[in-house]
Amino acid sequence: MDIEDAFRQVGEYGPLQRRVLWTMAIPQAFVAWHHLHNVFVGAEPQFYCIRGTERTKGCPKTDQPACDRYDFTGTDFTSVASEWNLVCSESYKSDMIQSVYMAGLLFGNLIGGYIADQYGRRHISYVSILLITVFSLIAVDASSYSHYLVWRFLAGGFTGAYGLVSFTIPTELVGAKQRGFVNVIMTIVYALGIGSFALLAYFIRDWKQLSVLTALPGLIGIYYYRILPESPRWLLTQGRIEEAEHALMYIATANSSSVQTIRLQRSNVHQAKTKQSRLLDMVQNSTLRSITLNNLYTWFVNSMVFYGLTMKAGDLNGDRYLNVALAGVIEIPADIVTLHMMDIYGRRFTYSWSMLFGGIFCVGIIIAPESKAFSAYLFCLPFV
């Protein structure tokens, strides 16, 4: 039998797949915490400029001498800005932390994807999420700004690796019909993670305490080691048929399936194993080239707009914590509607029209009166 027939035998979405899905989905909130970490941890608190005996609020004017030191006494939260005086002429360094983290995320996406394809999904899932915790905790005790950048880069790298495989494993362990549902659940939990991070930051105003709390959920990697099976689909592409059959029987047992044995097709396995996929394979013919370039462009645009809007929610008028929370939870209705629209109208229609309306509302942010700009923002984000 082929792999889809095998999943119909062992259960396309049984107890084991549900357990794996929620075990991988709930840490998506943890991923969101790290993506938006710098929104609160890197925020600039109120401060005073001290020059001799003079004490003035904020940065000195251009025609005034530089501050001897900065006083953050009386602020309602601490951050890396208050830790290393990243204000005034040094304020760009707070944003640099997010840039370095995102560079690590890119590196982790590239390397993590390669490792997952070469060595399997299971091992990198628990190793990467545990190392996110390790490097995040080390960053809390960084002795300098430059050391902090290094640890945030490494945390971003392993977050990127985990982010890829955390979507791959649940989708490869279910039948084809359940993949859309699985992906939507993951995005909903990610959106809840954005909202919950704002809530945590509201109650925990010390940046070190907040960083420790957002690092600890990565310890779930220990549980991953115990319950996650390797992807039978990946094993099959590697020609490891017996191991794929064993993984399928493990799923069957966990799902209380009555199937006694699974025997996968041996035909074309050697060809699939020996044929080496290359990056250039995606642009060798006009159809694949068009699809690849289109997806590269839309992912670039969506990522730029989504992260730009979400990470700057804290700088909008109004309450920083409420703005960030709304930026997260506003996505949830959109995720649910998207799932049903894909079932009714298909993926291409849903994808194209959501991009179009997202662009319209994003333009609305620019041209709308200041009193209406936030409303346009809340309409733009769900479509993105």
Side-chain angles (χ1 to χ4, degrees):
M1 67 179 72
D2 66 21
I3 191 69
E4 296 302 336
D5 289 332
F7 271 102
R8 281 189 281 272
Q9 292 284 325
V10 303
E12 294 183 281
Y13 187 60
L16 181 130
Q17 285 102 327
R18 286 194 290 273
R19 186 163 71 248
V20 169
L21 169 60
W22 289 105
T23 302
M24 301 295 284
I26 292 174
Q28 287 304 309
F30 170 68
V31 172
W33 294 353
H34 281 273
H35 284 0
L36 271 74
H37 188 262
N38 208 55
V39 172
F40 296 110
V41 171
E44 183 180 291
Q46 179 180 294
F47 65 94
Y48 292 89
C49 171
I50 307 298
R51 288 191 301 271
T53 58
E54 184 183 359
R55 184 174 185 263
T56 57
K57 188 175 181 180
C59 297
K61 296 179 180 179
T62 54
D63 59 346
Q64 293 179 327
C67 305
D68 297 331
R69 61 185 179 87
Y70 300 101
D71 180 12
F72 296 93
T73 304
T75 58
D76 63 347
F77 66 90
T78 66
S79 70
V80 293
S82 59
E83 183 77 14
W84 291 300
N85 294 327
L86 307 182
V87 295
C88 299
S89 62
E90 300 286 294
S91 61
Y92 73 93
K93 290 185 177 181
S94 288
D95 291 331
M96 182 66 72
I97 295 169
Q98 187 65 45
S99 298
V100 168
Y101 172 84
M102 297 303 287
L105 195 72
L106 172 62
F107 182 77
N109 286 160
L110 295 172
I111 302 301
Y114 174 79
I115 293 173
D117 285 342
Q118 295 296 315
Y119 303 104
R121 284 74 160 103
R122 177 175 177 268
H123 296 304
I124 193 172
S125 66
Y126 65 79
V127 169
S128 58
I129 197 170
L130 285 171
L131 287 177
I132 296 169
T133 294
V134 170
F135 290 120
S136 296
L137 290 175
I138 294 175
V140 173
D141 199 38
S143 58
S144 67
Y145 170 77
S146 57
H147 289 168
Y148 184 78
L149 284 182
V150 172
W151 303 128
R152 286 305 294 165
F153 175 85
L154 292 171
F158 286 104
T159 304
Y162 175 77
L164 277 180
V165 77
S166 66
F167 272 80
T168 304
I169 290 177
T171 54
E172 290 189 350
L173 289 179
V174 300
K177 292 181 179 179
Q178 284 74 34
R179 290 177 191 167
F181 169 76
V182 166
N183 283 324
V184 168
I185 291 296
M186 303 289 275
T187 56
I188 287 174
V189 177
Y190 182 89
L192 287 171
I194 296 174
S196 63
F197 185 53
L199 186 66
L200 286 173
Y202 179 80
F203 287 106
I204 303 174
R205 300 298 180 95
D206 180 81
W207 78 270
K208 290 191 174 184
Q209 293 177 10
L210 181 62
S211 297
V212 169
L213 185 62
T214 55
L216 292 179
L219 295 175
I220 197 174
I222 298 169
Y223 182 61
Y224 284 176
Y225 179 79
R226 296 185 57 189
I227 68 120
L228 284 184
E230 186 54 88
S231 166
R233 299 178 192 275
W234 177 80
L235 290 168
L236 191 60
T237 65
Q238 303 300 302
R240 295 158 62 175
I241 305 175
E242 291 78 11
E243 292 178 66
E245 291 169 344
H246 178 76
L248 286 163
M249 285 305 302
Y250 171 80
I251 296 172
T253 302
N255 288 345
S256 301
S257 171
S258 60
V259 66
Q260 297 298 313
T261 184
I262 293 291
R263 184 167 177 81
L264 296 170
Q265 289 178 349
R266 263 62 177 173
S267 60
N268 299 325
V269 170
H270 178 72
Q271 181 182 356
K273 180 182 177 182
T274 56
K275 183 180 179 181
Q276 298 296 313
S277 297
R278 300 174 303 160
L279 188 62
L280 291 177
D281 291 343
M282 296 190 294
V283 293
Q284 279 187 339
N285 65 67
S286 59
T287 302
L288 276 177
R289 185 161 55 247
S290 176
I291 293 171
T292 300
L293 293 175
N294 178 64
N295 276 284
L296 286 173
Y297 173 75
T298 53
W299 267 104
F300 174 81
V301 170
N302 271 310
S303 297
M304 180 175 62
V305 175
F306 173 79
Y307 287 118
L309 291 175
T310 306
M311 291 176 182
K312 283 300 179 181
D315 295 336
L316 298 174
N317 291 334
D319 185 86
R320 174 191 303 272
Y321 304 96
L322 180 60
N323 289 345
V324 174
L326 286 175
V329 298
I330 197 67
E331 296 178 44
I332 297 173
D335 292 332
I336 296 171
V337 170
T338 298
L339 178 63
H340 292 291
M341 286 189 67
M342 287 193 299
D343 288 339
I344 298 170
Y345 300 108
R347 286 156 173 73
R348 185 171 64 174
F349 176 90
T350 305
Y351 189 46
S352 302
W353 283 93
S354 63
M355 288 281 289
L356 175 62
F357 281 105
I360 292 172
F361 284 116
C362 285
V363 171
I365 298 174
I366 302 171
I367 64 176
E370 186 174 343
S371 60
K372 303 291 184 183
F374 189 65
S375 298
Y377 171 90
L378 292 179
F379 276 104
C380 172
L381 200 54
F383 284 103
V384 175

